[in-house]
Amino acid sequence: MTSPTNQELITRWRHEPAPLLPLLHAFHDRDGYLSDEALGAVALGLKVPIAELFGDVTFYHHFNRDPTRTNALRICTGPICRRYGAMELLAAFEQDGATPMPCAGRCDDPIPVLQHGQALAGTSPDTLEARRSPLPPPNPAEHEECVFSAIREPGRSKLEGYRRTGGYEALTRAVTDMQPAEVVHLVAENGLAGRGGAGFPTGVKWKAVAEAAARPKTIVCNADEGEPGCFKDRAILDHDPHAVIEGMALAAYATGATRGFIYLRYEYPDTFHVLEHAIHEAEEAGLLGGSILGTDFAFQLYLRRGAGAYICGEETSLLNSLEGKHPFPRNRPPYPVTHGYENLPTVVNNVETLAAAAQIIRRGGKWYGSLGLNGQAGTKIISLSGDIRHPGNYEVPMGLPLKTLLYNWAGGPLPGRQIRAVTMAGLSGGFLAGDGLDVTLDEPSIRAKGSFLGAGGVMVFDDSRDMVAVAHDAMEFFAHESCGKCFPCRIGTQRLTERLAGEAGPTDLTAWLDEVNDLGQTMKAVSACGLGLAAPLITGSLMRYFPDRVAQHVQTMANARAREVQP
Ligand SMILES: Cc1cc2nc3c(=O)[nH]c(=O)nc-3n(C[C@H](O)[C@H](O)[C@H](O)COP(=O)(O)O)c2cc1C
Ligand code: SF4
């Protein structure tokens, strides 16, 4: 088969919604890199100033501009993959041009490696192979699941299997028997809150978009999942893609939206094909497109790939990315519910939120709200990884003690080891350790310890781990991914990384603590988005739970400096 010409690619994408990223991907897939000629053609075809286009392309980590590196590997060097030998794997392929990739969302089955759009996994050069992502392990407790309640059913990822196990019943009931406001009410009264990190009440968000006057309205599924230690969205999309499509269609019906996008992180190429197929199946069956299920409800769904930038998971950055603008987060207000995609009313929801909404509407009543413990509503998927016997995605009732998950569900630490610390919200919630581990898995309990549950990534570090080194790697990630829009975040994450590396900063402990605190406070006070607010939780929790190790770190630095100045 001959490769498409530049003009054929431009013609294919020019009039599609949100065309910039798919067009860049089309050139990149064809050539293995983005040449000057390709960028010139894209700039001309989409009428984008060439300087702006260069700025965008070089912002995303995935786009290669070097023709000699078209087959070079990208190797995940996230916190968990490092434990499985990621740095050694990188070194083995370094002479072939391999580069590190921030956590690629496969912490339960490492090490993910990308090569020219293909996903491989393995812990050594000999074991690299294409592998399906694992199903969630069996739920070891009696607690009822919501999102995972049918995910392990054979054939669930295909339309036939999905329908056989109750799929699209909720959509059918909604469009034939329910008013849009009833759908919003059902989601609101069950207490569903956003599962992408911020925990905003989903019913409130849907109501605001339903009441907004401007049109057309849009539903965006945030499948960017860039938070290190989070891999739940991947599991849902790989094994239950129709649940998310159904959730999006329900959100569209409830709010009056007519178009939708799934924004999928680039690092999930297999998931892209699963979704492509599922969307096609749903269109063919009259569950997407015009006249859905024979009614006058219409909803067109598009699939778009990101290009490797953690900040694109932040909802306004994601919207800019979709629109082909530089993916800086937007200043808020106004919020996406009134000024979202193309400045029009938009729901942005996480994959897990949308999959839960489909179940809630199918079950009706106050079923979901009653699944939590101690007055907490619903369930949460926790992506558990690291130094633990049984890593994986666990759907827990909100309010479950963290230690029950760690020790009873997931088997506790590895033989002969003790759990030293865990991260919360992937990396964004910093560390919990010592008495900090005595929390229940819900926002009020975890926030009382100065952290937050967020998207539900929990990485476990045992007593063989050096927490200053772990904190350094975490801060290096934030420094790498800071979009640079706000000075305190851009510089603050770098200064904190240097201090954790022992490369710079005071050698007196009190001065070191003051400076690190001061940097963190400044970032928290003035950062425009959650990245700059979250990064100081790493240093804050390190100083709180590991004061002796911090003192030792500063002393080691002081000793090294003293040796440097000796004649
Ligand atoms: C730096 C940053 C990265 C984020 N990454 C994601 C992400 O990958 N997926 C996601 O759903 N939400 C992410 N969020 C949260 C989104 O901005 C937004 O709150 C969420 O998509 C809304 O959906 P929900 O209400 O269903 O949670 C991120 C936020 C920040 C500040
Ligand atoms: S806080 Fe950091 S990541 Fe967020 S907008 Fe500012 S510079 Fe960008």
Side-chain angles (χ1 to χ4, degrees), residues 401-460:
L402 171 63
K403 282 185 171 168
T404 305
L405 172 66
L406 294 175
Y407 291 94
N408 301 0
W409 291 38
L414 303 176
R417 292 285 169 203
Q418 308 276 326
I419 291 177
R420 174 163 281 165
V422 302
T423 63
M424 280 286 141
L427 275 183
S428 290
F431 305 115
L432 289 181
D435 63 4
L437 297 173
D438 293 319
V439 286
T440 52
L441 291 163
D442 54 77
E443 290 296 3
S445 173
I446 297 169
R447 282 183 192 264
K449 300 278 185 188
S451 179
F452 65 106
L453 181 59
V458 174
M459 293 186 272
V460 181

Side-chain angles (χ1 to χ4, degrees), residues 194-196 205 222 224-226 310 313-315 348-350 353 530:
R195 298 305 190 217
K205 191 180 279 188
N222 187 344
D224 201 48
E225 195 159 59
Y310 169 66
E314 194 283 332
E315 60 185 3
V348 182
N349 269 144
N350 171 255
T353 315

Side-chain angles (χ1 to χ4, degrees), residues 63 138 143 196 226 304 340:
F63 290 133
H143 299 289
R304 294 289 178 264

Side-chain angles (χ1 to χ4, degrees), residues 144-167:
E144 192 173 356
E145 295 176 312
C146 168
V147 176
F148 284 170
S149 56
I151 200 167
R152 304 176 195 85
E153 296 286 343
R156 176 82 177 177
S157 65
K158 299 284 190 307
L159 182 60
E160 190 276 322
Y162 184 69
R163 283 192 129 159
R164 182 164 32 80
T165 47

Side-chain angles (χ1 to χ4, degrees), residues 126 158 177 316 396 398 434 508:
D126 315 331
K158 299 284 190 307
D177 285 347
T316 59
V396 304
M398 277 289 195
D508 168 72

